[in-house]
Amino acid sequence: MSGLEALSGHSRAVLYTLVAIMGLLTVIVTWAQVGCIRGRPFRNPDGTADDWREQKVFYGIAWADLTVACPLSFAGIAMLVIDPGVGLLMLTGVGVWMAWANVMTTVTSLRFEEPRITAEWLLVFPFGGLVGLAYVIWILIHFDNVYG
């Protein structure tokens, strides 16, 4: 037996929890990046703001998220219902994106003159990276059960 039915209840619960969090974070990123494209500055937890008019890289990141990463996430979640193996594979790309993007933004956030590590900072920056990393680790641990 292979596929999701070969997994223990605990493993499936962890998977579905990670996927739910990834989906929620994708919705939040989509909303934030649409706002960036429309010209709304992103408010940082330390009170500063990032505006793509001042830092053009944010405009490019917004378009990359909206045209590649967010659609891949939504498609991967949808594919879990249609073909779980394909959906899990697609979500591995999303996990890598979340880990990379959130490490990048966490490091970038440390450039603030007076960075404050608050609950909001933890949620905005490193949390998504940890979720992405947890998913990648989950898929590596369960690869044989899912695809074997």
Side-chain angles (χ1 to χ4, degrees):
M1 174 171 29
S2 65
L4 295 182
E5 63 274 358
L7 299 171
S8 70
H10 179 265
S11 292
R12 278 185 291 205
V14 170
L15 170 65
Y16 294 139
T17 300
L18 288 171
V19 170
I21 294 169
M22 290 167 75
L24 178 62
L25 290 173
T26 301
V27 168
I28 293 168
V29 167
T30 301
W31 174 81
Q33 298 301 40
V34 166
C36 176
I37 297 295
R38 290 182 169 179
R40 184 180 67 233
F42 179 79
R43 302 276 176 230
N44 294 309
D46 72 344
T48 62
D50 292 323
D51 188 337
W52 71 262
R53 291 176 192 91
E54 296 170 8
Q55 300 175 32
K56 302 292 187 200
V57 71
F58 290 113
Y59 193 71
I61 291 169
W63 277 112
D65 284 349
L66 291 173
T67 59
V68 178
C70 293
L72 180 64
S73 182
F74 292 131
I77 292 169
M79 283 303 292
L80 278 177
V81 176
I82 300 166
D83 185 343
V86 173
L88 291 172
L89 189 59
M90 292 171 76
L91 288 174
T92 302
V94 175
V96 170
W97 161 65
M98 291 179 83
W100 171 80
N102 283 285
V103 166
M104 177 190 67
T105 54
T106 300
V107 170
T108 301
S109 74
L110 297 176
R111 72 166 163 54
F112 301 144
E113 291 180 24
E114 295 180 30
R116 290 178 292 180
I117 298 177
T118 62
E120 180 184 8
W121 182 88
L122 289 169
L123 185 62
V124 170
F125 297 112
F127 179 70
L130 293 173
V131 170
L133 184 61
Y135 180 84
V136 170
I137 291 169
W138 185 95
I139 198 73
L140 289 173
I141 290 170
H142 296 91
F143 191 85
D144 284 342
N145 289 344
V146 174
Y147 296 105

